[in-house]
Amino acid sequence: FTCSDATGDDRPLCNSDRTCVQCNSADALALEQCGAATPHCNLDSFQCEGCFEHSECPETACDIKARQCFPTNKILYVRKGPVVPGDCSGNPGGGGTKAKPYCDLDTAILAAQINGYTSGWTFYVLASEDEGDHGAVTLGPFEGPDADVSYAFVHEMGGLLDKHTRLLGLGPMITVPQRFTLYLKEFGVLISNDAFSDSSVGIECQAGGSVWLDDSRVLYARGPGIRASGCDVHLRRSSVAFGYTEGIDLKGGSLHAVNSFVTANNWITDKNGGGIRLRPDDKGAPAADILYSTIVNNSNEPKQATHGDTITCEGAATVKIRNSILSRKPGTGNAGVVCPDADVTILSSVTDGDDNIGGNTKLAAEDIIKNLSVNKLTGQYKIPSQASAMFFAEAAQWEIGDPHFDVDFEARNAVPGGFDFAGADVLPKL
């Protein structure tokens, strides 16, 4: 019997281990192994599940929290312009189609909210005809809606050099109020050189909100790259880099980072700095869950016993880090992780700290940094050569439930208990 016959089409594929499975590919939807309602193939169970990547919802985007695609009847198109008068619409309710898109995101948001808050809108941002950047975006008033609302901002690539939609200004560039969940796919959130205050943040997320960054980046913030108060922050294949103060300032709430980078964030006297700052709020301590990520070359105000270059905890917090790379900026005189009142677990990572009880690999900060190469457009610190790969290649330990791919969708050594590359980047063997 074939697997299809033996399982009544429930598990029609014969896997490499000669078991019958529903699916066995990350491209299960395109290969028609999985259907539109359950387009994601779980490569641990080989079962079709609700969406987990935006690419699995080719007409809209994935509401990852709900594991279902956004509806196809709530799509609005945006293209910055116009170059030709009338080429786009600045009138809420008078555009939003691909043929007549709205001229900016704010107009599109007003159109989506013209009859009150409703959830499930996908905003496709097309390539700008004048190659200009979009400005700041606010999803709604500070108090937010009466019920949970989810939006998705999706960049639609117009050419090989048009890989991200850029938001550029003084900041905050995106404000997410309470009860809002915002998904960003392939966005660049940048602070302009004219910014000068601590309010010049990339993303401001208020209590009760959440933000998911996929394949995106937040760069050059004067205040924190992401400032979140009672908000849930998710980074997937994304970077927060080159800020003048903290990369991420999390007060309460949670941070989840996978295959991501928090890098080269600096400090301003008496305004803090470093990679990640964690503080309790009135509802409790923050939680950070960091997996296969690279947090390096951040610096905090020098020689401050309470300041960590990589992570600073100001009070209670829960920090779980696994299969990652952690390194302060060499020469600051600071420790990397300073969390005296927090519950911190670091496992199977490359670190410049003294905590080796979790099977970590300890290296000098100088050796970690010199064996990574920075992309100044993205903030990604990646492994440049086979010679450098030896420092990271067997430091991590893959477990079921971990990602099967790295930041570039290069395959990981997805064998339970098997050695793997620490950090967000895998260097494939020649």
Side-chain angles (χ1 to χ4, degrees):
F1 290 97
T2 66
C3 279
S4 181
D5 291 336
T7 66
D9 281 334
D10 184 53
R11 299 188 301 278
L13 301 177
C14 184
N15 203 20
S16 58
D17 62 358
R18 301 184 65 81
T19 59
C20 295
V21 298
Q22 276 191 327
C23 59
N24 59 9
S25 171
D27 297 317
L29 181 65
L31 295 174
E32 298 184 346
Q33 295 178 358
C34 297
T38 54
H40 178 75
C41 182
N42 184 322
L43 294 177
D44 297 326
S45 65
F46 303 105
Q47 296 286 315
C48 295
E49 299 177 346
C51 66
F52 194 63
E53 296 284 348
H54 295 301
S55 59
E56 294 166 347
C57 303
E59 293 184 80
T60 55
C62 180
D63 188 340
I64 301 164
K65 290 170 66 174
R67 298 295 299 268
Q68 62 185 23
C69 294
F70 276 53
T72 57
N73 62 344
K74 290 186 174 181
I75 301 173
L76 293 173
Y77 289 90
V78 179
R79 182 175 60 236
K80 189 175 183 295
V83 173
V84 178
D87 198 28
C88 63
S89 173
N91 178 29
T97 65
K98 199 165 188 176
K100 183 102 171 173
Y102 288 119
C103 298
D104 55 71
L105 276 162
D106 279 342
T107 304
I109 291 169
L110 288 173
Q113 298 175 1
I114 201 165
N115 294 314
Y117 290 107
T118 56
S119 188
W121 288 95
T122 300
F123 299 81
Y124 271 107
V125 186
L126 308 173
S128 299
E129 294 182 352
D130 59 1
E131 299 183 355
D133 298 313
H134 292 258
V137 175
T138 300
L139 297 186
F142 180 81
E143 66 272 10
D146 295 328
D148 294 339
V149 172
S150 294
Y151 286 174
F153 291 176
V154 178
H155 168 80
E156 184 168 289
M157 193 169 80
L160 292 177
L161 299 179
D162 174 39
K163 296 182 179 180
H164 290 79
T165 290
R166 295 197 346 162
L167 306 181
L168 177 65
L170 298 179
M173 296 311 302
I174 299 177
T175 302
V176 182
Q178 64 180 356
R179 306 202 71 165
F180 256 100
T181 295
L182 176 64
Y183 297 100
L184 291 175
K185 180 177 183 286
E186 295 172 349
F187 265 66
V189 180
L190 287 70
I191 303 299
S192 75
N193 292 331
D194 298 326
F196 59 88
S197 74
D198 197 50
S199 64
S200 298
V201 305
I203 297 174
E204 181 95 41
C205 187
Q206 307 293 345
S210 63
V211 60
W212 295 66
L213 278 70
D214 277 40
D215 307 292
S216 295
R217 54 212 189 210
V218 181
L219 308 178
Y220 312 122
R222 177 77 175 189
I226 299 176
R227 176 182 281 153
S229 179
C231 167
D232 297 323
V233 178
H234 297 257
L235 306 178
R236 306 196 309 175
R237 301 179 303 275
S238 293
S239 56
V240 182
F242 308 135
Y244 289 82
T245 58
E246 307 100 322
I248 300 172
D249 180 7
L250 187 70
K251 187 176 182 181
S254 64
L255 167 66
H256 307 267
V258 180
N259 282 330
S260 291
F261 300 83
V262 181
T263 59
N265 296 285
N266 213 316
W267 58 276
I268 296 174
T269 302
D270 298 327
K271 291 189 181 295
N272 297 293
I276 301 172
R277 180 188 185 192
L278 302 174
R279 300 180 284 161
D281 65 4
D282 57 1
K283 293 186 177 179
D289 191 355
I290 297 167
L291 176 64
Y292 278 118
S293 291
T294 301
I295 308 175
V296 301
N297 214 28
N298 301 285
S299 60
N300 214 326
E301 192 166 355
K303 299 181 181 178
Q304 300 289 324
T306 58
H307 292 176
D309 282 353
T310 305
I311 301 176
T312 299
C313 304
E314 299 178 11
T318 301
V319 181
K320 297 179 180 180
I321 302 172
R322 191 162 57 84
N323 294 356
S324 295
I325 302 174
L326 309 176
S327 176
R328 66 196 186 281
K329 184 177 182 178
T332 65
N334 294 331
V337 178
V338 177
C339 291
D341 299 317
D343 180 8
V344 180
T345 305
I346 303 174
L347 302 174
S348 304
S349 296
V350 174
T351 174
D352 61 357
D354 293 325
D355 185 356
N356 290 309
I357 61 173
N360 298 313
T361 300
K362 182 180 178 181
L363 297 174
E366 293 83 356
D367 290 331
I368 294 175
I369 299 302
K370 76 180 183 182
N371 283 289
L372 295 171
S373 178
V374 60
N375 183 322
K376 294 184 178 180
L377 294 177
T378 65
Q380 296 180 349
Y381 277 68
K382 299 173 75 172
I383 301 170
S385 66
Q386 295 294 335
S388 293
M390 63 179 288
F391 291 92
F392 313 107
E394 296 187 352
Q397 191 171 27
W398 193 90
E399 298 178 4
I400 290 176
D402 288 350
H404 285 244
F405 303 95
D406 77 343
V407 65
D408 299 314
F409 293 96
E410 298 284 356
R412 292 194 172 277
N413 182 33
V415 177
F419 292 126
D420 192 18
F421 277 87
D425 182 41
V426 165
L427 186 71
K429 294 181 179 180
L430 297 175

